[in-house]
Amino acid sequence: MWRSPGSLPPQPAAGEAAAALRRLAAFLGRALPLCRAHATQLYARGLWQRLVAAPPDAVLQALRRPLREPSGAAGGEWDDDTFSNVFCENSKKLINVHLFALAAEYYSLSHLGVCTPLEELLKALGGDNQGSTGIKTDEFMNNKKSHEVQVMSELVDKIANYCGIKQVIDVGSGKGYLSSFLSMQYNLKVYGIDSSNTNTNGAHERNRKLKKHWRAYQSRARANPESRRSEKANDSPVQNEIKCKAVNERTLNNSCLQSQDQRTTQDLVGSCVFTEIATSETSKQTEIDLVAQAQCNESELSEEALAFLDVLPADAVEISSSRCNSGELREEEKAQRKMASIKAKASKSSESNLYFPLTSYITAETELRDIIADLENCIMVGLHTCGDLAANTLRIFTAKPEIKAVCSVGCCYHLLSEQYENQEDCTEEVWGFPMCQYLKDKGWCCGRNARMSACLALERIAVGQMLPTDSLFYRAVLQVIIEEIYGVTKSERHVGKIFSKSSSFLDYVRKSLKKLELDDSKLPDSCIMDYYEKYKHRMNELEAFNMLKVVLAPCIEVLILLDRLCYLKEQDNIAWSGLVKLFDPVKSPRCYAVIALKK
Ligand SMILES: C[S@@+](CC[C@H](N)C(=O)[O-])C[C@H]1O[C@@H](n2cnc3c(N)ncnc32)[C@H](O)[C@@H]1O
């Protein structure tokens, strides 16, 4: 199809996006009991027997085999009926594992046909990176961040040029990697807003140093490209200086917001941690494997959670949403805003490279004009905006005429607020999920465990990282002991990091019971070991159960992304909206951007 230069690529029509969402929701609706199930309770509640008809070994075998088409159907000819027999109509159990795995692929974004290729979008947006100074991001940040910032900033710059705007609002800007790059590399005027004052201060400092080095770097690069290369090999002074800063900051402040700096400069998986809640039965309970609760206290880290962090994307642990008390922020915000507006006035001059980090907690109701005095036509961006921040970014975009475009990559789906999760809390708040009318009408609820599994980095599991079966097995058997012997089914106490400190199952159980404040003095070793013997041959059940959940995980992420896309399609002031895969998922697993441009 011929398109005039400057026209955007075809976008999924509202009807197409809605149809894709309906089909996926229909499949996931049947699979949800599996997603919501809690591996700690696999034995205690007989989950396998309740949810899966096939034996565990058959499931493992089916899921380890490379996928092939179902007999009689070529991939292109699959339709929703092909997958109608994955679950039994009556028992609701999973009966066809091979079809189940094919279905998970069939309902992936690429197969649903609602994704716009990045190259197509970049080409259509045109432009030739005029403002660009050709600096490489990997000299200023770690590989993951560098990849993200490089790709996203090029796209944001092109969208800004296409819309004829120079102002960018970077929400959840963190330490300002994207913001400072957009301002320095592309001469955009960027306001970075983050709820953490520590991040804002860090961003100020980082930007100040970056600017200094950037200028020196630019003149050096112009004068001698060779010296730049050798400097890079020796680790640039910029990175060294920023690393030093990060270390100092860490010693001063141990908040999870601080540790983000540690991760991003040292490429570590972070210390914003997930903990398990020992025996809670409610929907708030976390699963050991698909762990849920974001904690900033490392001592609360569970062993199983630690093991799982390796297969979670780093973003899943870069949580720092710290719901700040708005009262606490007010004074600081005022000072920040004053400063920003003074700077903004001064910037009416021709100075480029403008980046203003600000502290504010963004909600759907946030008036950007209250934060940014010189708000003008702008693009709103967010790189790994956790939980509701991604949803609220879209809501602000649709509501405010000055915001001409949005480019938002979400993360930390487990932090999303869900309207239909706890019916009793169902007031008139604005919720992170669902956003679109169809899922609202259906009262759709994923549940925390399902959202947690949407945070998994499936690509890392696909390249061989193992799930932490041993520690999960101990924990699942412990759960049986807790329930059968102590009659405890609900507790807010955490088992925590016991597995790696234990010399044996016996030791693990005793240490865990102590941590849970359950008296183990009358519990003989033989009794504990009887439990171990009773369940040890069922370890494969746990492994197979986790594999099923892992296979399903991307579908849940797709549901959340399609919900956001459909919400945008429901608005009448939007000219173009789509989902675009921005990043290499192995480098950066939360790789999809929701993008929209106003009419
Ligand atoms: C995963 S980090 C991403 C940081 C940054 N965009 C990056 O890519 O390095 C998410 C950031 O969003 C901030 N944040 C979370 N909820 C927020 C909110 N409601 N308003 C403002 N900032 C928020 C956190 O403080 C955190 O710095």
Side-chain angles (χ1 to χ4, degrees):
M1 182 175 63
W2 182 87
R3 288 192 303 269
S4 60
S7 68
L8 292 171
Q11 59 177 324
E16 274 176 70
L21 178 73
R22 273 198 299 274
R23 290 167 45 215
L24 170 63
F27 170 70
L28 265 185
R30 283 174 277 148
L32 261 185
L34 266 178
C35 312
R36 289 192 182 148
H38 200 288
T40 45
Q41 296 178 333
L42 186 74
Y43 306 131
R45 307 288 150 83
L47 293 182
W48 188 270
Q49 295 69 19
R50 271 166 49 188
L51 300 174
V52 190
D57 284 338
V59 169
L60 283 171
Q61 211 179 16
L63 295 183
R64 280 179 190 143
R65 264 205 316 263
L67 291 181
R68 274 178 285 110
E69 295 156 4
S71 55
E77 294 160 19
W78 295 349
D79 58 23
D80 297 327
D81 285 343
T82 317
F83 304 105
S84 57
N85 297 325
V86 172
F87 296 92
C88 171
E89 202 62 45
N90 300 320
S91 70
K92 312 290 180 209
K93 288 184 190 181
L94 172 64
I95 48 176
N96 189 331
V97 184
H98 184 59
L99 264 190
F100 169 84
L102 287 167
E105 198 180 302
Y106 179 67
Y107 293 107
S108 66
L109 264 186
S110 47
H111 276 77
L112 286 169
V114 283
C115 246
T116 305
L118 175 63
E119 303 69 39
E120 254 188 56
L121 183 58
L122 288 173
K123 199 167 160 211
L125 289 166
D128 54 359
N129 289 350
Q130 271 177 347
S132 142
T133 47
I135 309 277
K136 292 268 184 295
T137 44
D138 54 4
E139 304 206 13
F140 300 92
M141 44 198 110
N142 72 18
N143 288 344
K144 174 178 178 284
K145 196 55 65 188
S146 166
H147 171 63
E148 294 163 359
V149 166
Q150 193 97 43
V151 176
M152 188 155 172
S153 60
E154 185 190 352
L155 176 62
V156 169
D157 177 60
K158 282 188 188 285
I159 299 174
N161 283 339
Y162 184 90
C163 299
I165 50 188
K166 288 297 279 177
Q167 192 176 81
V168 180
I169 317 291
D170 179 6
V171 285
S173 47
K175 292 285 182 195
Y177 296 95
L178 178 67
S179 293
S180 53
F181 195 72
L182 279 169
S183 72
M184 287 186 210
Q185 172 89 332
Y186 292 103
N187 282 328
L188 290 160
K189 181 172 174 182
V190 186
Y191 286 93
I193 308 176
D194 200 278
S195 57
S196 153
N197 203 37
T198 317
N199 273 355
T200 306
N201 293 338
H204 264 301
E205 187 56 14
R206 177 183 298 278
N207 193 52
R208 188 184 65 75
K209 287 183 176 145
L210 266 179
K211 256 179 149 173
K212 199 173 83 184
H213 286 286
W214 194 275
R215 283 189 207 110
Y217 174 99
Q218 276 178 302
S219 21
R220 264 202 316 279
R222 271 193 296 270
N224 183 3
E226 272 313 306
S227 74
R228 189 163 69 83
R229 269 195 288 278
S230 67
E231 191 176 272
K232 184 179 171 185
N234 295 329
D235 202 355
S236 76
V238 181
Q239 274 202 347
N240 286 340
E241 187 170 354
I242 292 169
K243 278 180 191 170
C244 289
K245 168 79 180 154
V247 171
N248 292 337
E249 281 177 349
R250 277 200 304 284
T251 53
L252 288 172
N253 185 334
N254 63 0
S255 81
C256 70
L257 294 160
Q258 283 310 133
S259 57
Q260 183 187 337
D261 200 48
Q262 173 184 0
R263 279 184 297 278
T264 45
T265 51
Q266 300 181 352
D267 210 6
L268 291 175
V269 175
S271 55
C272 278
V273 298
F274 299 104
T275 75
E276 62 188 280
I277 291 174
T279 50
S280 165
E281 253 188 334
T282 68
S283 58
K284 279 191 186 139
Q285 73 192 53
T286 47
E287 173 148 24
I288 291 179
D289 55 347
L290 306 176
V291 234
Q293 266 210 339
Q295 297 276 335
C296 296
N297 181 358
E298 284 193 23
S299 64
E300 288 300 321
L301 240 187
S302 79
E303 204 67 52
E304 299 82 355
L306 267 176
F308 229 76
L309 290 181
D310 286 343
V311 289
L312 282 169
D315 312 307
V317 292
E318 274 183 44
I319 307 141
S320 40
S321 61
S322 64
R323 279 187 181 261
C324 301
N325 178 331
S326 58
E328 277 171 29
L329 276 178
R330 208 164 297 137
E331 284 310 308
E332 267 171 309
E333 268 187 50
K334 274 188 199 158
Q336 297 266 9
R337 282 174 207 164
K338 205 166 160 192
M339 192 161 81
S341 91
I342 293 166
K343 284 187 183 170
K345 278 183 197 130
S347 76
K348 294 280 187 242
S349 68
S350 58
E351 203 205 330
S352 57
N353 293 354
L354 287 173
Y355 162 41
F356 306 111
L358 303 168
T359 304
S360 185
Y361 186 84
I362 303 286
T363 68
E365 283 85 28
T366 298
E367 285 292 343
L368 288 178
R369 206 168 271 291
D370 291 346
I371 305 170
I372 298 162
D374 70 331
L375 186 72
E376 56 192 50
N377 286 350
C378 62
I379 173 170
M380 220 172 160
V381 303
L383 173 54
H384 294 147
T385 41
C386 31
D388 285 356
L389 185 57
N392 289 338
T393 302
L394 301 183
R395 290 189 202 280
I396 296 173
F397 161 71
T398 58
K400 301 295 167 205
E402 297 89 352
I403 307 167
K404 300 297 178 195
V406 70
C407 178
S408 161
V409 182
C411 73
C412 300
Y413 302 118
H414 59 291
L415 296 177
L416 274 174
S417 63
E418 273 204 75
Q419 184 169 7
Y420 304 102
E421 189 164 28
N422 299 308
Q423 294 292 340
E424 66 273 20
D425 297 345
C426 209
T427 52
E428 274 184 54
E429 252 190 83
V430 180
W431 301 87
F433 181 88
M435 296 186 78
C436 78
Q437 204 50 50
Y438 175 74
L439 293 184
K440 275 182 182 294
D441 291 344
K442 291 272 170 200
W444 232 91
C445 171
C446 292
R448 193 176 172 88
N449 285 331
R451 281 182 280 117
M452 189 68 216
S453 58
C455 297
L456 281 168
L458 189 69
E459 288 76 10
R460 292 184 187 171
I461 295 166
V463 292
Q465 291 196 27
M466 295 306 291
L467 297 170
T469 309
D470 286 350
S471 54
L472 281 174
F473 173 73
Y474 276 21
R475 183 63 186 80
V477 181
L478 173 71
Q479 187 67 27
V480 181
I481 296 174
I482 293 167
E483 295 198 10
E484 287 188 1
I485 298 189
Y486 296 91
V488 177
T489 55
K490 219 174 175 182
S491 163
E492 289 302 308
R493 295 192 186 285
H494 301 174
V495 171
K497 282 192 270 190
I498 303 286
F499 180 79
S500 66
K501 293 180 198 149
S502 309
S503 54
S504 63
F505 179 71
L506 194 63
D507 190 32
Y508 171 85
V509 171
R510 295 226 178 266
K511 284 189 170 127
S512 302
L513 291 175
K514 275 199 182 65
K515 184 107 192 266
L516 296 172
E517 294 183 9
L518 296 170
D519 177 15
D520 69 328
S521 58
K522 297 195 180 64
L523 189 64
D525 287 355
S526 58
C527 177
I528 295 175
M529 289 316 292
D530 283 350
Y531 277 101
Y532 180 84
E533 292 301 324
K534 182 174 173 192
Y535 288 100
K536 74 172 188 212
H537 70 281
R538 288 175 61 184
M539 209 153 158
N540 58 353
E541 219 172 89
L542 194 75
E543 203 184 332
F545 188 72
N546 273 327
M547 284 299 289
L548 288 172
K549 298 184 75 165
V550 163
V551 167
L552 214 44
C555 294
I556 302 158
E557 181 176 27
V558 175
L559 184 87
I560 294 168
L561 291 169
L562 278 175
D563 174 51
R564 292 173 183 173
L565 180 66
C566 288
Y567 163 81
L568 291 173
K569 300 282 179 196
E570 284 163 11
Q571 315 302 315
D572 52 20
N573 57 351
I574 291 173
W576 192 95
S577 56
L579 297 175
V580 179
K581 187 176 184 178
L582 289 194
F583 311 134
D584 170 350
V586 177
K587 285 187 189 156
S588 181
R590 301 281 76 77
C591 60
Y592 287 100
V594 180
I595 296 172
L597 282 78
K598 290 250 177 76
K599 279 179 184 159

